[in-house]
């Protein structure tokens, strides 16, 4: 059963209405999000409705805080793939514009959920807020469900303390250089996906060709060197080592990911790759010479190979 992406909520095809949905931003589709989706899935099985997920693009934070540093944990394509593995059949991507932002909590429930999407059931997290001024709550969603004729379920918090499953927790772990903690919350490694761009070609000249991917709207993890696994367009998942940073030794550049895929020398320019951050090895640093940098890169290679082999 494949996932269908539905853009918008107005004048939908009848086949795209009537789903049992999980509502939220679901950035990261972490284990807490999966608990909400599981409740929607249970309602879908009980009612025979399709299983759907509602998210917003752009993220509401982009509309209200446009100058805030990048924070996304995944692209829409990554999000769609993660949802499909959970059995989601309808992925509703709603444009978060000034019209959407102007709806009161009741108007959102009535116009978007009930009249627009015709939802059969809505599953939400314990901490959801919705509507202008973020006045909506799980209790209000239950009241609107009774008023408009759709079921509502509320998922409780999953995890506790440092292990609490939240997108904020993932971002903090990544900014602290703790990709293994981020992976524990996500249920899989955090991964950066993007088109391979042509760089300075210096790595190739020095014996370790790198694939360069710009960070785009991703949260910026701690700058430094990571043990990685990179998924190629054909599906191969290959070990490597990557630097996230600005290349202080060879000339400052915009923050990017440069990954050296071990024992690999195929042309990836213009192709989309996805690189998982497995372990943080060391902070980015400026070396006194190219020779010192190369020596350190080979030490990084040895450390990464050992980690990835285990």
């Amino acid at each position: 059963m494949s996932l269908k992406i539905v853009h918008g909520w107005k004048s939908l095809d009848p086949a795209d209405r009537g789903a049992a949905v999980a509502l939220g931003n679901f950035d990261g589709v972490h284990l807490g999000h999966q608990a909400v989706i599981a409740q929607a899935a249970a309602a879908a099985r009980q009612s025979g409705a399709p299983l759907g997920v509602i998210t917003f693009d752009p993220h509401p934070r982009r509309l209200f805080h446009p100058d805030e540093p990048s924070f996304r944990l995944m692209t829409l394509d990554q999000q769609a793939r993660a949802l499909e593995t959970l059995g989601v059949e309808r992925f509703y991507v709603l444009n978060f514009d000034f019209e959407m932002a102007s709806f009161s909590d009741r108007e959102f429930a009535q116009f978007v959920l009930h009249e627009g999407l015709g939802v059969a059931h809505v599953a939400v997290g314990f901490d959801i807020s919705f509507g202008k001024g973020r006045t909506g709550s799980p209790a209000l969603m239950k009241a609107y469900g009774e008023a408009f004729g759709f079921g509502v379920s509320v998922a409780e918090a999953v995890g506790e303390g440092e292990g609490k499953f939240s997108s904020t927790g993932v971002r903090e772990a990544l900014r602290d250089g703790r990709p293994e903690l981020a992976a524990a919350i996500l249920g899989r490694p955090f991964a950066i996906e993007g088109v391979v761009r042509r760089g300075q070609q210096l790595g190739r000249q020095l014996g370790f060709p790198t694939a360069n991917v710009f960070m785009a709207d991703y949260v910026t993890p701690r700058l430094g060197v990571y043990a990685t696994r990179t998924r190629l367009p054909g599906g191969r998942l290959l070990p490597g080592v990557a630097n996230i940073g600005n290349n202080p030794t060879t000339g400052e550049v915009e923050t990017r990911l440069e990954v050296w895929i071990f024992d690999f020398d195929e042309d990836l320019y213009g192709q989309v790759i996805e690189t998982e951050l497995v372990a943080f090895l060391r902070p980015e640093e400026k070396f006194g010479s190219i020779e010192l940098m190369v020596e350190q890169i080979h030490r990084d290679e040895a450390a990464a190979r050992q980690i990835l082999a285990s």
Side-chain angles (χ1 to χ4, degrees):
M1 191 173 297
S2 61
L3 175 143
K4 179 180 181 181
I5 299 177
V6 179
H7 291 277
W9 53 277
K10 299 177 181 178
S11 304
L12 296 186
D13 187 294
D16 294 329
R17 290 166 44 84
V21 301
L23 170 65
N25 288 306
F26 299 115
D27 187 21
V29 193
H30 57 63
L31 295 175
H33 294 151
Q34 293 176 36
V36 181
I37 295 167
Q39 293 212 351
R45 287 192 298 270
Q46 187 172 19
S47 65
L51 172 59
V53 163
I54 298 172
T55 194
F56 302 93
D57 186 56
H59 193 290
R61 285 169 59 175
R62 271 282 165 256
L63 189 70
F64 297 123
H65 306 287
D67 297 326
E68 186 174 273
S70 298
F71 60 88
R72 295 302 296 263
L73 297 174
M74 54 178 20
T75 65
L76 279 176
D77 284 346
Q78 288 177 302
Q79 196 171 24
R81 292 198 300 271
L83 294 174
E84 188 167 26
T85 64
L86 298 175
V88 175
E89 300 162 74
R90 302 284 186 274
F91 183 26
Y92 298 98
V93 180
L94 308 188
N95 182 28
F96 196 84
D97 53 15
F98 287 103
E99 179 191 28
M100 182 71 75
S102 72
F103 288 149
S104 67
D105 49 53
R106 183 181 181 90
E107 288 171 335
F108 175 77
Q110 179 179 348
F111 299 154
V112 179
L113 298 180
H114 174 53
E115 297 177 8
L117 301 178
V119 296
H121 185 95
V122 178
V124 297
F126 71 99
D127 58 351
I128 193 170
S129 58
F130 60 96
K132 185 177 180 180
R134 304 178 66 179
T135 53
S137 64
L140 277 173
M141 185 63 81
K142 286 186 174 182
Y144 296 140
E146 292 180 6
F148 299 122
F150 56 80
V152 175
S153 56
V154 180
E156 297 303 320
V158 180
E160 57 184 34
E162 187 179 49
K164 181 182 177 184
F165 301 144
S166 71
S167 298
T168 298
V170 177
R171 296 185 190 105
E172 290 175 350
L174 292 169
R175 288 169 178 149
D176 289 342
R178 303 178 66 188
E180 69 288 344
L181 176 56
I185 300 172
L186 290 167
R188 65 187 178 284
F190 168 75
I192 296 166
E193 181 174 79
V195 176
V196 177
R197 308 291 186 183
R198 196 171 295 275
Q200 298 169 295
Q201 306 285 301
L202 181 61
R204 180 170 294 277
Q205 296 171 32
L206 297 174
F208 42 86
T210 59
N212 297 268
V213 174
F214 294 133
M215 295 298 295
D217 204 27
Y218 282 105
V219 62
T220 302
R222 184 181 180 187
L223 300 187
V225 179
Y226 292 80
T228 62
R229 292 189 179 92
T230 295
R231 183 170 289 101
L232 304 183
R236 285 178 292 170
L237 188 63
L238 302 180
V241 64
N243 183 73
I244 296 178
N246 311 108
N247 287 344
T249 303
T250 60
E252 294 281 339
V253 296
E254 177 185 354
T255 302
R256 64 187 60 179
L257 174 133
E258 293 182 90
V259 58
W260 172 26
I261 303 173
F262 298 148
D263 311 313
F264 177 85
D265 192 24
E266 299 173 25
D267 185 1
L268 292 174
Y269 291 124
Q271 299 187 57
V272 176
I273 63 173
E274 184 180 41
T275 298
E276 300 176 349
L277 304 187
V278 178
F280 182 81
L281 301 180
R282 63 172 175 85
E284 185 175 48
E285 58 184 294
K286 185 172 183 177
F287 295 95
S289 69
I290 295 294
E291 290 75 19
L292 290 173
M293 182 184 73
V294 170
E295 289 175 7
Q296 181 59 57
I297 289 172
H298 286 298
R299 286 193 290 270
D300 298 336
E301 174 194 7
R305 285 185 184 274
Q306 183 174 11
I307 290 169
L308 297 169
S310 62

